[in-house]
Amino acid sequence: MSDGGRPGRVAILISGRGSNMEALLRGMRSGAIAAEPAVVLSNKRSAKGLETAAAAGIPTEVVRRRKGMTHEDHDRLVIEALDRYDIDLVCLAGYMRLLSPLMVARFPDRILNIHPSLLPAFPGLDAQQQALDYGARFSGCTVHFVDEECDHGPIVTQAAVSIEPGDDASSLSARILEQEHRIYPEAVALFFQGRLSVEGRQVRIAPATGTPAAG
Ligand code: GRF
């Protein structure tokens, strides 16, 4: 899934701690994901994950949204920054900004996001608390392609997590996070194996080379 036979190049966008970013970096370092981290970009200078990325020798960029900037103005600057790194895939990893249509159009079917619920349930902020408040018995996490709507694009993979009596947002988040760190690298690995294709809302996952087709 990369141009000209070179390794795939990933931009990771974060706003905070960056534990999913770390899971992706581990996947690339181990070779499980056939790609390399090209840049970690944040809209917040204070994002903890920036330090982690810099310590790992990965280029970092901060693109803040200044007062008066529209969504699109900000994304234009993000695109300008990403365009310096020749990116094949953008991974949102706790990036707390909705993407404008401009950004989605610049990377069609090449932006992934991880969300801590089983979409379409509980999109938006505080998904774990939403699941608890609703009284759900299961929640989980979803990796999906990004479109113009919040937490809405075609789903690549999901993992379910049961909600136990006595769970609070923090215990549930921790259990979901374990699954996030597993399925996000898996989804990105599939992308760089060229096995994902998007048809409307369906994401088809081609069998691994050498694997007989099911059925
Ligand atoms: C994760 O729960 C992710 O699903 C959500 O934001 C959180 C980011 O955590 N989109 P981290 O920064 O990856 O640790």
Side-chain angles (χ1 to χ4, degrees):
M1 263 290 185
S2 66
D3 300 335
R6 61 156 175 71
R9 291 172 63 76
V10 181
I12 305 175
L13 272 52
I14 63 170
S15 297
R17 161 180 73 177
S19 71
N20 278 289
M21 170 201 79
E22 288 186 66
L24 295 176
L25 295 179
R26 278 195 298 277
M28 290 187 255
R29 206 176 304 127
S30 72
I33 299 172
E36 59 190 22
V39 63
V40 172
L41 181 147
S42 177
N43 62 321
K44 288 193 186 305
R45 204 184 291 286
S46 59
K48 196 92 191 77
L50 284 174
E51 291 167 31
T52 317
I58 296 156
T60 59
E61 298 274 350
V62 176
V63 181
R64 289 164 61 209
R65 183 175 175 205
R66 293 182 194 287
K67 244 188 160 165
M69 266 188 188
T70 66
H71 229 83
E72 224 176 78
D73 292 339
H74 180 249
D75 273 355
R76 203 167 283 120
L77 297 181
V78 170
I79 291 169
E80 255 175 54
L82 294 181
D83 279 348
R84 293 198 288 273
Y85 292 91
D86 198 12
I87 297 303
D88 298 303
L89 179 70
V90 177
C91 291
L92 309 184
Y95 184 63
M96 303 302 282
R97 305 259 318 138
L98 268 181
L99 301 190
S100 68
L102 192 74
M103 176 82 173
V104 176
R106 172 65 188 84
F107 297 100
D109 296 338
R110 288 194 294 140
I111 307 176
L112 290 174
N113 182 42
I114 178 108
H115 180 76
S117 76
L118 292 176
L119 290 172
F122 314 126
L125 293 176
D126 300 323
Q128 301 91 339
Q129 188 62 53
Q130 288 187 55
L132 290 166
D133 292 346
Y134 199 85
R137 299 291 189 196
F138 286 90
S139 190
C141 47
T142 302
V143 178
H144 64 94
F145 282 101
V146 171
D147 64 10
E148 283 90 353
E149 288 176 56
C150 177
D151 299 327
H152 173 268
I155 291 171
V156 179
T157 185
Q158 297 184 300
V161 166
S162 64
I163 297 179
E164 305 296 342
D167 257 340
D168 59 14
S170 130
S171 62
L172 179 58
S173 299
R175 280 209 313 290
I176 292 176
L177 202 59
E178 273 179 40
Q179 298 304 313
E180 295 183 35
H181 295 167
R182 180 176 67 79
I183 69 170
Y184 206 1
E186 282 176 7
V188 175
L190 289 170
F191 178 90
F192 283 105
Q193 288 162 13
R195 291 171 60 193
L196 300 183
S197 55
V198 182
E199 294 165 28
R201 279 217 55 87
Q202 312 302 316
V203 177
R204 310 256 174 239
I205 303 180
T209 324
T211 306

